[in-house]
Amino acid sequence: MTATDKSRKPDTGDNTTPQRGRRLRTFTTGLKLPLFAAVFMAVAVATGGCGLVGDGKQAEEIVQVTPDDRARGVSPGAAVRVSVAEGRLRSVRLVRRGDGAEHPVRGRLSAGGRVWRPLARDGELHGGRGALEPSSRYSVQVVAVGADGERIARNTTFTTKVPKHRFIGFFRPEHRQTVGTGMIVSLDFNRPVTDRAAVERAVRVTAEPSVPVAAHWFGGTRLDFRPREPWRPGTRVTLDLRLRGVRGAPGAYGVQRKKVWFRVGRDQRTTIDVARREMTVERDGRRVSTVPVTAGTPENPTYNGTMVISEKYDVTRMNGSTVGFGGEYDISDVPHAMRLTTSGTFLHGNYWARSGVFGRKNTSHGCVGLEDEKGGSDRSPAGRFFRDALVGDLVTVQGSRSEKGALERTVAPDNGLGGWNMSWERWTAGSALN
């Protein structure tokens, strides 16, 4: 989308999800995979969202990133390069997440501001080579300014090669992170695990003060842990990985031996009543705010059920063509965006809808919009909620109905951190040790 296209009109729409039977891509080009920890207070590209009608240049046509988005098994010796076909790069951030912490990689911008390359581990510029570590996941966050002066965001991810016959688990939340009471510990393995019992025995999640914590497998590549009820504020949770030498599949052995921990902050729970078009926030059992919202239309209803904020973005790009809506919308600067599902449900700021929409009409493609200003205002309803929200906060949606009047389905337990929608009995039944 470019600012010079005056024919576009506000659509106030959001995204939909693969659960409704559409042939959708789970992740849009430019958005990091959410199965591992990170909060990027930066600009990203997201699946779906509120936007403008019409077509336009894709972010990937203007901002080129090497290696490709979502590339797996990238050689540690591969070159990393970010460039723009027009305009200039405003900021580039390359971050490694191989051991539960963020490790920014320094880089250098060309004189004209159109090309960025990272510095190698020896501190020199070797054509963008020599900066990568093996068995790691990287994110590239880019903000550029187009020829027309409009901001363009792109965010990609890739993983580097894991040695043959080895497997690793990318985990979230991050080491020493403070999270909300609904945080679920989630591991994403780089290859399918067939000996799930052996792997599960080698992963231990404990809490202080102590509470029972149980595991649940979603297929062969994802293992989640949670307690029966949301964590108590102040709890310290420890993830102990003892995977080194553990056989996870024929010819595949673990390499990790590490212990990380995170702290649970205050208890904030948000309820979104789609029928009433309002959002109520309670903190430590006390109501602190009720604000009007606009949610999914009956044609594209918002999921019901309990979700968890898994990522936060100051600004994000949302593009309908990446989630099955063609050119219905594409907006590059959606402010104060908080991810609720893997498939693309967000709670975010909305500056393009008329103020009378909030609290009166549901107009989106499935996300939940809060009133905001262009560029994102700290004083807006969206800005205030974003400021106070933590990754791991619980968000429950109720009263969402389809166009036939029936209640919309509950979000799937593996769509984001949706495990709170399973009973404790169903959750524990998903352990390989039962």
Side-chain angles (χ1 to χ4, degrees):
M1 184 190 74
T2 61
T4 56
D5 186 349
K6 304 299 184 182
S7 65
R8 297 191 178 94
K9 58 184 179 181
D11 180 75
T12 66
D14 293 308
N15 61 291
T16 187
T17 67
Q19 287 184 329
R20 296 188 178 96
R22 295 178 182 266
R23 295 185 296 112
L24 307 182
R25 293 172 54 189
T26 303
F27 305 97
T28 186
T29 299
L31 181 63
K32 75 184 190 66
L33 296 174
L35 297 179
F36 52 96
V39 183
F40 295 150
M41 299 303 186
V43 179
V45 179
T47 52
C50 303
L52 304 181
V53 175
D55 53 13
K57 287 190 176 181
Q58 302 289 314
E60 55 270 27
E61 295 177 20
I62 300 173
V63 180
Q64 291 87 43
V65 180
T66 304
D68 291 339
D69 184 34
R70 289 171 288 168
R72 300 172 69 91
V74 174
S75 169
V80 178
R81 186 178 189 270
V82 180
S83 63
V84 288
E86 57 185 59
R88 60 182 174 83
L89 292 168
R90 181 175 175 182
S91 66
V92 178
R93 189 167 186 249
L94 173 64
V95 179
R96 177 174 68 86
R97 291 177 173 82
D99 55 4
E102 290 190 2
H103 301 280
V105 179
R106 293 185 303 141
R108 187 176 298 166
L109 197 63
S110 66
R114 287 198 171 188
V115 179
W116 182 94
R117 294 183 178 91
L119 299 178
R121 289 185 293 276
D122 63 4
E124 299 297 325
L125 190 65
H126 298 298
R129 299 182 183 275
L132 304 179
E133 300 279 356
S135 306
S136 298
R137 195 182 292 271
Y138 287 85
S139 66
V140 185
Q141 304 160 46
V142 186
V143 182
V145 179
D148 56 4
E150 190 78 4
R151 283 196 305 177
I152 304 161
R154 192 171 184 208
N155 184 8
T156 68
T157 64
F158 62 90
T159 58
T160 52
K161 187 176 181 179
V162 177
K164 191 176 181 180
H165 306 307
R166 296 291 184 265
F167 75 90
I168 59 174
F170 297 100
F171 56 86
R172 60 174 169 175
E174 298 285 0
H175 183 40
R176 298 188 178 184
Q177 187 175 358
T178 298
V179 301
T181 54
M183 190 68 210
I184 292 176
V185 179
S186 186
L187 288 94
D188 178 30
F189 297 103
N190 70 303
R191 61 188 53 175
V193 173
T194 57
D195 195 343
R196 299 182 191 178
V199 171
E200 188 177 325
R201 288 190 192 96
V203 180
R204 188 181 182 197
V205 178
T206 57
E208 301 175 16
S210 180
V211 294
V213 180
H216 187 98
W217 286 89
F218 293 107
T221 58
R222 177 173 165 183
L223 175 61
D224 286 7
F225 292 83
R226 72 165 175 89
R228 179 190 288 265
E229 302 293 338
W231 304 102
R232 179 175 153 187
T235 297
R236 173 171 162 148
V237 183
T238 300
L239 169 63
D240 189 1
L241 296 174
R242 302 181 182 184
L243 292 169
R244 185 176 298 165
V246 175
R247 180 182 182 273
Y253 295 85
V255 297
Q256 292 163 299
R257 182 67 179 92
K258 64 181 62 182
K259 183 182 292 187
V260 297
W261 59 269
F262 62 90
R263 184 78 67 181
V264 179
R266 82 289 175 274
D267 182 19
Q268 177 165 299
R269 307 191 189 196
T270 299
T271 301
I272 297 167
D273 190 323
V274 174
R276 296 174 63 88
R277 295 169 290 281
E278 69 177 20
M279 181 181 81
T280 302
V281 181
E282 293 186 353
R283 191 173 304 133
D284 297 322
R286 183 175 62 87
R287 180 178 295 188
V288 295
S289 66
T290 299
V291 296
V293 301
T294 181
T297 64
E299 293 75 22
N300 298 292
T302 305
Y303 283 126
N304 287 309
T306 299
M307 294 164 250
V308 175
I309 295 175
S310 59
E311 298 168 358
K312 293 175 65 181
Y313 298 95
D314 285 336
V315 184
T316 189
R317 176 176 180 248
M318 294 183 174
N319 181 0
S321 66
T322 64
V323 288
F325 284 107
E328 288 188 31
Y329 56 85
D330 184 5
I331 189 165
S332 64
D333 60 345
V334 178
H336 297 131
M338 292 151 280
R339 175 178 283 277
L340 300 179
T341 69
T342 300
S343 56
T345 307
F346 278 79
L347 176 58
H348 62 73
N350 180 325
Y351 65 80
W352 52 91
R354 297 184 302 276
S355 60
V357 166
F358 301 97
R360 296 184 181 180
K361 188 176 181 180
N362 291 320
T363 58
S364 86
H365 283 76
C367 288
V368 178
L370 295 167
E371 190 168 5
D372 210 338
E373 298 177 10
K374 186 173 178 62
S377 169
D378 293 337
R379 296 182 299 275
S380 69
R384 291 193 298 268
F385 182 82
F386 184 89
R387 177 196 63 207
D388 296 334
L390 293 174
V391 165
D393 280 349
L394 292 161
V395 177
T396 300
V397 176
Q398 62 188 32
S400 180
R401 294 183 178 274
S402 68
E403 55 188 334
K404 294 183 179 180
L407 282 173
E408 172 60 355
R409 70 187 68 183
T410 298
V411 64
D414 62 344
N415 191 357
L417 299 177
W420 296 109
N421 296 293
M422 300 180 74
S423 67
W424 184 243
E425 290 70 27
R426 284 186 60 205
W427 182 266
T428 56
S431 166
L433 302 181
N434 285 338

